[in-house]
Amino acid sequence: MSLLTCREEYAGLTAAVRATVNSACHLQIMTAARIVVVGTGYVGLTTGACLASLGHRVTCVDVDAGKVARLSAGRVDILEPGLSELVDRGLTSGRLTFVVGAREAVREAEGVFLCVPTPMGAGGSADLRAVEAVVAEVGDVLPAGCAVITKSTVPVGTSRRIRAMLGRVDVPVVSNPEFLREGTAVADFLGPDRIVVGSDDLEAARWVGDLYADLSAPTVVADAASAELVKYAANCFLAMKLSYVNAIAELCERLGADISLVTAGMGYDRRIGRSFLKPGPGWGGSCLPKDTSALLKIAESVDYDFQMLSSAIDENLAQRDRIVAKIARAVGGTLAGARIGVLGLAFKAGTNDLRDSPALAVSSVLCALGAELTAYDPAVGGEIAGMTVVDDPYQIAKAADAVVVLTEWNEFKRLDWSYMAELMHGDTVVDTRNLLDPRAVLDAGLSWQGIGRPLKRAPLRQGALS
Ligand code: UDX
């Protein structure tokens, strides 16, 4: 059921993405370039399919032969609105192909995008082994003038390091960071706020910028180090903004204020803006945790103690602990033996990605403290250690002492809370995303406990299962 439900959930978004995709496909292409994209994860596949939709000839490379075969048959494993359609169109038009083996693929390329993972390595720095392996594989067969372009988030200085590894004056290295959010990656790619290209060879940087010319986005042409720093600076700013909002939400609880009103009042200030002001169970996902940790390491390497950033990371861990404490209070103080129904496991709605998911982090702590968890997520199935994952949201409520919303899926708003209340043993819904309409929960005879908002206490319940 998972992909289908997600698609329904995101029907509106998909329509918007389709409109963007369609208009991109009708753009007049000035010059079509021969591009190779190495790595077909979220970033690489989106980059490859979108560049093909802009008219370029794109070969996507992956080491996973099974994945290459599936993609060649038009089967996309990841949940990303609009992506399957773009892959289909690329395959049909012949502008998009999938192969195994970067060495063969790059021989005719004008630009090679590196979109391989750069996970958090030992000690918090980015692990560049995958990037280096590709550079070593293709270095001596790259045609003269072919640009090597880093798309994955890489530490400042990586362009220089790649140039040294290549040892070729005829191959420019360009940093072109991605700013794609999971769940809206295609729309973000085709309607970007900005394009950033950076290189010590400005002509090569401009050539990469021109690949996106039809998108008419503001383009920042920079030196390599500045371009590499933009991505970290932007993501860490977002993480700090979220930690700040979560801290203000905590203050709201202690002071009797309401975070939804406080952020409404803040967000209308154009210098602050309304996005990224929602409190939650902490920030996570595949980028913010690794990027905050990597920028701390980068700062450390140049003897700068980036206290503001380390506080934001600490605040994020504190938020998780506060959520766990809140859930413990909802079940009467002790988690050992408590039955908890969990709604949402993905790191945010619109994705089936569990990487560094705050929902999963909170759930693991609950399990470690002896709670019995039954969880439902519209996009996540299968087995997860320590909990029972079910495929019907109502099953999580059966005999639950508390129900906890951890991911902001819209479908949770439409649950029949009276039926949930009948199934539950306890009477509290802890809504860590401030997602639900508290009235719907109260009308069902349950208490609603959000984040940074006053507790709405249940009227006396009748008819609960015991
Ligand atoms: C992020 C960056 O936004 C993107 O620019 C970058 O390229 C990759 O990392 P993504 O990981 O898809 O994108 O997630 P995002 O939508 O930014 O959310 C990050 C985390 O913050 C999630 O855990 C989300 O639930 C949380 N969040 C976001 C909040 O808690 N409140 C908000 O208001 C927004």
Side-chain angles (χ1 to χ4, degrees):
M1 58 93 51
S2 56
L3 286 190
L4 185 64
T5 314
C6 293
R7 295 218 162 101
E8 280 167 2
E9 176 105 3
Y10 275 75
L13 177 61
T14 308
V17 171
R18 256 192 215 124
T20 327
V21 169
N22 286 336
S23 60
C25 288
H26 289 103
L27 291 170
Q28 291 298 310
I29 307 303
M30 307 303 287
T31 45
R34 289 188 305 280
I35 301 292
V36 168
V37 176
V38 185
T40 59
Y42 278 96
V43 173
L45 188 56
T46 306
T47 301
C50 288
L51 285 174
S53 83
L54 293 176
H56 303 298
R57 304 214 148 259
V58 182
T59 307
C60 287
V61 183
D62 206 287
V63 288
D64 180 341
K67 193 172 184 185
V68 166
R70 287 194 298 281
L71 287 168
S72 300
R75 294 214 308 276
V76 175
D77 296 339
I78 54 176
L79 176 64
E80 204 53 70
L83 190 55
S84 286
E85 290 90 328
L86 277 191
V87 169
D88 273 349
R89 283 188 198 200
L91 289 169
T92 310
S93 67
R95 284 200 292 267
L96 182 64
T97 47
F98 296 93
V99 299
V100 180
R103 201 170 159 79
E104 275 313 304
V106 302
R107 286 178 193 271
E108 307 265 286
E110 293 170 88
V112 176
F113 280 87
L114 304 183
C115 300
V116 289
T118 52
M120 203 191 298
S125 309
D127 179 344
L128 288 181
R129 277 177 297 181
V131 169
E132 288 169 353
V134 178
V135 173
E137 186 183 350
V138 302
D140 62 333
V141 291
L142 287 168
C146 172
V148 172
I149 308 149
T150 51
K151 195 62 146 162
S152 316
T153 307
V154 290
V156 181
T158 302
S159 293
R160 209 178 332 123
R161 200 157 141 187
I162 294 177
R163 267 205 349 253
M165 272 188 80
L166 286 168
R168 291 184 54 175
V169 285
D170 59 340
V171 173
V173 179
V174 180
S175 160
N176 173 217
E178 52 83 16
F179 302 100
L180 309 175
R181 290 161 303 165
E182 284 185 27
T184 53
V186 170
D188 289 347
F189 193 101
L190 296 174
D193 289 341
R194 78 306 208 180
I195 304 285
V196 175
V197 282
S199 177
D200 297 333
D201 177 339
L202 285 184
E203 202 187 314
R206 286 204 189 92
W207 180 82
V208 176
D210 284 347
L211 296 174
Y212 304 93
D214 291 319
L215 299 179
S216 307
T219 301
V220 178
V221 181
D223 59 276
S226 303
E228 286 166 346
L229 189 52
V230 168
K231 177 61 187 290
Y232 286 109
N235 269 1
C236 292
F237 182 80
L238 293 175
M240 290 196 295
K241 191 173 181 186
L242 290 174
S243 279
Y244 182 78
V245 165
N246 284 334
I248 295 292
E250 177 61 17
L251 271 185
C252 284
E253 288 189 15
R254 294 178 191 218
L255 297 170
D258 184 330
I259 189 72
S260 62
L261 302 174
V262 173
T263 51
M266 286 168 69
Y268 283 112
D269 185 327
R270 272 169 293 188
R271 294 168 303 173
I272 296 173
R274 293 167 72 178
S275 63
F276 265 67
L277 278 189
K278 283 211 191 96
W283 38 269
S286 64
C287 284
L288 300 193
K290 84 173 165 65
D291 291 352
T292 43
S293 160
L295 188 58
L296 263 193
K297 281 281 154 193
I298 292 169
E300 218 177 280
S301 74
V302 288
D303 289 329
Y304 177 60
D305 182 9
F306 201 158
Q307 287 184 21
M308 207 193 288
L309 185 56
S310 47
S311 301
I313 296 171
D314 291 346
E315 179 60 41
N316 202 39
L317 292 174
Q319 181 70 355
R320 187 180 60 196
D321 293 344
R322 287 194 292 259
I323 299 284
V324 170
K326 200 182 275 271
I327 297 167
R329 283 196 299 276
V331 296
T334 171
L335 284 162
R339 291 200 201 96
I340 295 174
V342 169
L343 289 171
L345 292 167
F347 85 91
K348 64 174 184 177
T351 174
N352 54 358
D353 197 343
L354 294 172
R355 284 176 292 176
D356 262 312
S357 165
L360 217 48
V362 167
S363 300
S364 323
V365 179
L366 294 174
C367 289
L369 293 172
E372 287 171 31
L373 264 58
T374 307
Y376 166 79
D377 186 295
V380 180
E383 307 227 322
I384 297 184
M387 64 180 87
T388 309
V389 181
V390 294
D391 60 7
D392 169 8
Y394 293 103
Q395 278 185 47
I396 65 109
K398 271 188 198 153
D401 294 305
V403 164
V404 183
V405 177
L406 287 171
T407 310
E408 72 281 28
W409 288 102
N410 275 330
E411 74 164 69
F412 299 155
K413 290 187 199 169
R414 297 188 293 267
L415 288 172
D416 177 345
W417 285 99
S418 299
Y419 183 43
M420 293 287 269
E422 271 176 43
L423 298 170
M424 282 174 69
H425 176 258
D427 68 357
T428 304
V429 178
V430 180
D431 180 0
T432 73
R433 298 279 185 169
N434 289 349
L435 174 79
L436 309 174
D437 176 359
R439 272 169 314 180
V441 177
L442 289 181
D443 288 350
L446 297 169
S447 297
W448 178 86
Q449 172 71 79
I451 303 293
R453 299 190 63 189
L455 165 75
K456 314 255 188 215
R457 215 176 278 285
L460 262 188
R461 284 191 58 199
Q462 290 178 7
L465 298 180
S466 53

